[in-house]
């Protein structure tokens, strides 16, 4: 269905002046790809007559030449100020075709002014600013494109363009200066129109018409330079007894050389051959696409003609060579192989006599212009479908096309059996006279029949409406659908895709036509960003179409849209490995991203949290980021967020990429007795945080961040194994009301949503202490195969209570503990609805202050840290209380019950490092030397001389998994050997640990 109603006037016309219109026509003349109506049966004369100035259609970038261009002064000058930018050059002109990188702040007013100011700052490239003509600005919610054409001495330069892309803050995030600086000085054509026509028509047969256009510049690449030619545009039409053609030609205005000739009518049927008998060419006067345009005489393809009692059909050009001797009685009907047009159930028909030899018969006077236009449009869109999907036969039948229905107006629909178009009225023309409206409704027929051919239904309404528009736009190559929808306003339209992009999910409305604009817009912008290459666009569309992305219910548009993007990228891939990119992946990802359609990121942040740091020294934090295409297209920045002690606001600290995967930043030095909290986040092309580590640390109800103790040491601990320095612990209080899942002490037994899938773990099966055995946990099931939720916390609260801990001997005490808390496992009801609560009391338990009060959980051991003074102020003792709860909420699913599990281990009491006790250098240990790196069989290292406890070495892979068990480490000037023969080739982290600190070094194994 088209969408009932009359749209308002657009905000601006697509081209605002004569120069823009000339550019549009010239570019179309040069780069238009015609429609092929069927499979190739024989090579046509038209194919033989095409000419091109491009000598290597399979050319790939010359990497050595690109490197040389990058080392020229223009780019080196820019790169010195913007080291994170990349570029691809036009290898013929030596100009930056497309550059991109981190944001650059630029002054200026509107987008065009800002863009011109930026282009003007690129002194090293000699961009001819006075020749740039602004194109319509393309704003979105996230980015704005400022495009410019190049016009030299009043003449368009074909294919030349400049681009500046701005983010939401008006900062430059990309630019292109694919323009030219050298032109011929002689702008007077040396040949006249007659000579230009002669050059354009050289070698051609059956020329029936020619017209000469204006002068333009054609950049002709010749290896690593450009030959700029002044050319004249000529149009040549052919006809007669062969397949008609309409050729766009570019003739050198000085030499008369034909540089380019292409047929805009791509004929794939075999050419008509005259035979003895009565031949007929069927024609009619119909609209060329819209009632705003003057009617034209056109051919009637694939139409039923009964000659002497035998049924014939015209070919794609409306011609029949019957072989029947004339004169002969003939019946002509406005129906045929692919369309059966009717008004009030009556198909136009008339009779006449065909004479021997050629006959031209017009349907004018036997059918109205609306019926004739509908017939032609239906055959045009069917031919387009066959061009895109040549093997698909589901629409190869005579489809009923009903016109001038009077039960409604300003609308049209596809009802599963045919197309229905309503009569003129209410300031709307007859819907069958708008070609793209016919194309749109026929698109529904294609969607329906194609999915049916795969035993599926095209179910999603937004996808159906969006793809119906795609079928129309890929034929018209016009982003405006239903132009002239309001007869009183020639600028009116049904929908348009060159303004006000719709973005997922913010523009989802639950109305299928509006929501369908998101996916159709993604396809239109893919076409634009692919350089207006419709052949490539439809090739990708056809390859992704069988993915059945629309076989889903309304309301699941996001899923469908993401599926489309993935299928398109895979259709574009040329080596079976999408992770290393695709030939046009950047354009595809950008086009879909403009509409908020992105794949779920596969970025993996490999970060071992920093537990301690020395006082009064900068704190270096680094992370590895494992990322593959297409996620590489979304990443724009890596940021560390940190705060100190009880601060409420996060400070942003940009992280710098030190190599292809490693990023690092430095937190400013902090005094002893400080706790620094931090998390990491990647920023995407929309300015949104993604891949936050720890997950959820940025939320309003945040997950735990990482914590660093600065200038602290552990003074006492309760690890549930060999250290019990914090007194007795009480499991359960008289006020507890949980019916199952009370706190217990011992060895935890894991529970899983699926016992065959370790990733579905709910309750931990391991305590936290290294080489330990015990911890506290909320109820053990009978064994690991017990049903999930067996003895989880149900219907209330369970409490674990510490003794009163004396703090009088400590200067600035702080606590840390490791906890496991889950309230949202894969199969749990009412996820994230229940609380994990930790309280502290400075008066022995008479009053309690929250330390943690959160519904945010994580299915792994996490460490919380806090300074006592930030929670309780200056107190001499503390008591801790840990609550896990399952709330009761009558009327909610399962009365609000959730699947809640918790565990606790390694509660540690910290205090500032004491000066002069031999531990004041805590955290300052250094690996003074480490060799060989890369390593093969062993690594040798020496460590600075410090007195610490519990020193050891271990090796981790980049996922944080320990791959070499801890080994004793040598202090002082001694040399330590680490045997790495068991490690596979790859990258690793060597960690030196001691009580209260650690230091890491990366190394590689190469063999």
């Amino acid at each position: 269905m088209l969408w009932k109603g009359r749209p308002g006037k657009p905000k601006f016309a697509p081209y605002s002046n004569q120069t823009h219109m000339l550019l549009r026509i010239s570019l179309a003349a040069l780069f238009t790809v015609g429609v092929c109506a069927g499979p190739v049966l024989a090579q046509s004369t038209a194919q033989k007559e095409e000419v091109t100035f491009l000598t290597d259609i399979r050319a790939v970038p010359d990497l050595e030449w690109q490197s040389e261009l990058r080392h020229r002064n223009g780019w080196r000058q820019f790169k010195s100020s913007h080291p994170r930018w990349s570029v691809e050059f036009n290898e013929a002109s030596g100009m930056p075709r497309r550059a991109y990188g981190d944001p650059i702040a630029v002054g200026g007013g509107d987008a065009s002014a800002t863009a011109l100011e930026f282009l003007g700052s690129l002194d090293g490239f000699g961009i001819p600013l006075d020749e740039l003509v602004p194109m319509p600005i393309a704003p979105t919610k996230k980015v704005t494109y400022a495009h410019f054409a190049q016009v030299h001495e009043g003449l368009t330069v074909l294919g030349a363009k400049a681009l500046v892309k701005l983010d939401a803050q008006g900062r430059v995030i990309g630019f292109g200066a694919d323009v030219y600086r050298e032109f011929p000085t002689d702008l007077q054509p040396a040949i006249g129109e007659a000579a230009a026509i002669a050059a354009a028509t050289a070698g051609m047969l059956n020329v029936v018409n020619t017209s000469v256009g204006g002068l333009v510049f054609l950049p002709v690449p010749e290896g690593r330079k450009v030959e700029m030619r002044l050319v004249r545009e000529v149009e040549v039409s052919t006809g007669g007894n062969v397949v008609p053609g309409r050729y766009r030609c570019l003739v050198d205005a000085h030499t008369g050389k034909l540089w380019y000739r292409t047929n805009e009518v791509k004929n794939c049927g075999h050419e008509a051959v005259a035979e003895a008998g009565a031949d007929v060419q069927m024609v009619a006067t119909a609209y060329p696409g819209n009632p705003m345009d003057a009617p034209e005489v056109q051919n009637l393809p694939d139409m039923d003609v009964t000659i002497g009692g035998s049924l014939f059909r015209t070919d794609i050009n409306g011609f029949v060579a019957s072989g029947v001797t004339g004169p002969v009685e003939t019946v002509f009907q406005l129906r045929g192989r692919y369309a059966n047009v009717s008004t009030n159930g009556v198909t136009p028909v008339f009779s006449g006599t065909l004479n021997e030899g050629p006959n031209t018969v017009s349907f004018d006077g036997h059918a109205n212009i609306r019926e004739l236009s509908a017939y032609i449009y239906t055959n045009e869109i069917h031919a387009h479908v066959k061009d895109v999907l040549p093997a698909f036969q589901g629409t190869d039948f005579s489809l009923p096309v009903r016109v001038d229905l009077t039960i409604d107006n300003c609308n049209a629909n596809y009802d599963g059996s045919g197309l229905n178009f309503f009569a003129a009225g209410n300031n709307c023309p007859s819907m069958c006279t708008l070609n793209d409206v016919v194309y749109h409704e026929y698109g529904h027929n294609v969607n329906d029949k194609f999915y049916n051919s795969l035993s599926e239904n095209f179910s999603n309404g937004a996808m159906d409406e969006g793809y119906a528009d795609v079928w129309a736009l890929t034929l018209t190559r016009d982003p405006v659908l239903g132009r002239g929808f309001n007869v009183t306003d020639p600028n009116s339209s049904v929908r348009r895709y060159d303004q006000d992009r719709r973005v997922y999910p913010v523009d989802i409305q639950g109305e299928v036509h509006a929501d369908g604009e998101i996916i159709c817009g993604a396809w239109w912008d893919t076409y634009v960003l692919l350089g207006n290459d419709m052949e490539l666009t439809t090739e990708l569309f056809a390859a992704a179409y069988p993915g059945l992305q629309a076989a889903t219910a309304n309301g699941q548009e996001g899923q469908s849209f993401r599926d489309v993007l993935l299928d398109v990228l895979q259709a574009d891939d040329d080596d079976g490995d999408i992770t290393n990119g695709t030939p046009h992946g950047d354009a595809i990802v950008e086009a879909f991203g403009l509409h908020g359609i992105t794949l779920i990121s596969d970025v993996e942040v490999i970060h071992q949290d920093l537990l301690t740091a020395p006082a009064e020294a900068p704190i270096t934090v680094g992370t590895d980021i494992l990322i593959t295409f297409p996620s590489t297209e979304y990443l724009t920045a890596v940021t560390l967020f940190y705060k100190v002690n009880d601060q409420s606001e996060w400070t942003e600290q940009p992280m710098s990429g030190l190599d292809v995967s490693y990023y690092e930043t430095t937190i400013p030095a902090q005094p002893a007795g400080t706790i620094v909290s931090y998390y990491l986040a990647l920023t995407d092309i929309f300015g949104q945080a993604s891949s936050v580590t720890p997950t959820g640390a940025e939320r309003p109800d945040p997950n735990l961040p990482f914590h660093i103790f600065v200038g602290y040491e552990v003074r006492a601990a309760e690890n549930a194994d060999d250290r019990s320095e914090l007194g007795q612990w009480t499991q359960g209080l008289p006020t507890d009301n949980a019916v199952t899942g009370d706190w217990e002490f011992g060895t935890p037994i894991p529970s899983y949503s699926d016992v065959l899938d370790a990733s579905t773990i709910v309750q931990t099966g391991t305590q936290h202490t290294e080489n330990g055995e015990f911890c506290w946990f909320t109820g053990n099931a009978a064994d690991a195969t017990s049903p999930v939720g067996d003895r989880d916390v149900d219907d209330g609260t369970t409490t674990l209570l510490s003794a009163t801990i004396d703090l009088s001997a400590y200067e600035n005490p702080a606590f840390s503990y490791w906890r496991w808390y889950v309230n949202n496992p894969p199969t749990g009801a009412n996820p994230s609805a229940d609380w994990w609560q930790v309280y502290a009391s400075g008066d022995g338990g008479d009053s309690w202050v929250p330390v943690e009060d959160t519904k945010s959980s994580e299915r792994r051991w996490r460490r919380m840290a806090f300074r006592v003074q930030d929670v309780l102020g200056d107190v001499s003792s503390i008591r801790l209380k840990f609550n896990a709860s399952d709330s009761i909420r009558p009327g909610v699913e399962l009365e609000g019950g959730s699947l809640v599990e918790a565990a606790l281990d390694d509660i540690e009491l910290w205090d500032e490092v004491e000066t002069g006790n031999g531990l004041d250098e805590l955290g300052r240990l250094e690996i003074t030397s480490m060799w060989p790196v890369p390593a093969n069989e062993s690594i040798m290292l020496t460590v600075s001389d410090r007195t610490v406890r519990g020193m050891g070495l271990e090796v981790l892979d980049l996922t944080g998994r320990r791959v070499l068990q801890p080994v004793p480490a040598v202090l002082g000037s001694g040399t330590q050997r680490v045997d790495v023969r068991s490690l596979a080739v790859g990258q690793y982290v060597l960690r030196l640990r001691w009580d209260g600190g650690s230091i890491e070094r990366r190394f590689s194994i190469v063999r």
Side-chain angles (χ1 to χ4, degrees), residues 812-874:
N812 184 8
F815 278 86
S816 67
Y817 54 85
W818 291 83
R819 51 90 156 169
W820 176 291
Y821 175 60
V822 175
N823 66 4
N824 59 352
T827 58
N830 302 307
S832 302
D834 288 306
W835 286 265
W836 165 257
Q837 296 164 309
V838 181
Y839 298 96
S841 174
D843 54 15
D846 291 337
S847 60
W848 295 94
V849 177
V851 174
E852 280 193 88
D853 191 355
T854 182
K855 298 178 182 179
S856 184
S857 71
E858 191 170 356
R859 290 185 293 142
R860 67 187 183 104
W861 285 101
R862 293 299 318 285
R863 185 177 80 148
M864 172 62 181
F866 68 95
R867 300 194 311 170
V868 174
Q869 63 176 297
D870 293 335
V871 175
L872 298 175
D874 187 13

Side-chain angles (χ1 to χ4, degrees), residues 475-692:
L475 179 50
T476 65
R477 306 182 187 211
D478 186 343
V480 183
L481 187 145
R483 197 186 298 271
F485 186 61
N486 185 333
V487 296
T488 66
D489 181 3
N491 293 320
S492 62
S493 62
V494 176
R495 284 181 289 280
R496 62 186 306 158
Y497 291 94
D498 59 345
Q499 299 176 359
D500 302 326
R501 291 185 178 96
R502 291 190 178 269
V503 179
Y504 181 87
V506 294
D507 288 329
I508 285 286
Q509 299 179 14
E511 202 287 320
V512 294
H513 298 87
D515 296 346
E517 290 186 48
I518 297 174
I519 189 62
C520 182
W523 276 109
W524 177 257
D525 282 319
T526 297
Y527 161 66
V528 171
L529 294 177
L530 288 174
N532 292 354
D533 188 337
M534 187 57 75
E535 183 177 0
L536 175 58
T537 303
T538 53
E539 176 185 322
L540 294 173
F541 180 81
Y545 198 46
L548 301 180
Q549 308 91 353
T552 186
N554 291 340
Q556 294 180 318
E557 284 74 27
Q559 171 186 312
S560 295
F561 297 164
R562 289 192 300 273
D563 288 349
V564 171
L565 173 55
L566 177 59
D567 287 341
V568 175
L569 288 170
Q570 290 177 324
D572 187 53
D573 189 32
D574 61 354
D575 65 356
D577 183 3
I578 195 174
T579 65
N580 63 12
T582 74
H584 310 94
D586 54 349
I588 296 166
V589 167
E590 182 177 359
F592 278 73
L594 290 172
H595 297 268
I597 304 172
T598 62
L599 295 181
I600 297 174
S601 175
D602 66 348
V603 176
E604 186 176 1
V605 178
I606 307 300
H607 175 69
Q608 183 63 43
D609 52 317
L610 192 59
L611 302 180
T612 62
E616 307 299 346
I619 304 170
T620 299
V621 180
T623 185
D624 282 281
I625 296 177
L626 306 183
I627 182 171
T628 59
F629 179 88
S631 296
T632 49
E633 303 298 318
Y634 304 134
L635 176 63
T636 59
V638 182
T639 306
L640 179 142
F641 294 79
Y642 77 92
K643 58 185 177 181
V644 177
N645 298 327
D646 60 349
Q647 291 178 346
S648 59
E649 299 297 325
W650 294 97
T651 298
E652 295 186 29
Q653 190 79 11
M655 302 188 76
S656 300
L658 302 186
D659 58 31
V660 295
S661 65
Y662 186 71
Y663 288 77
E664 189 175 273
T665 192
T666 300
I667 299 173
Q670 303 295 328
T674 300
I675 295 178
V676 177
S677 305
Y678 74 97
Y679 69 89
L680 311 175
L682 278 57
T683 303
D684 63 23
I685 57 177
F686 306 111
Q688 302 298 313
S690 63
S691 300
V692 175

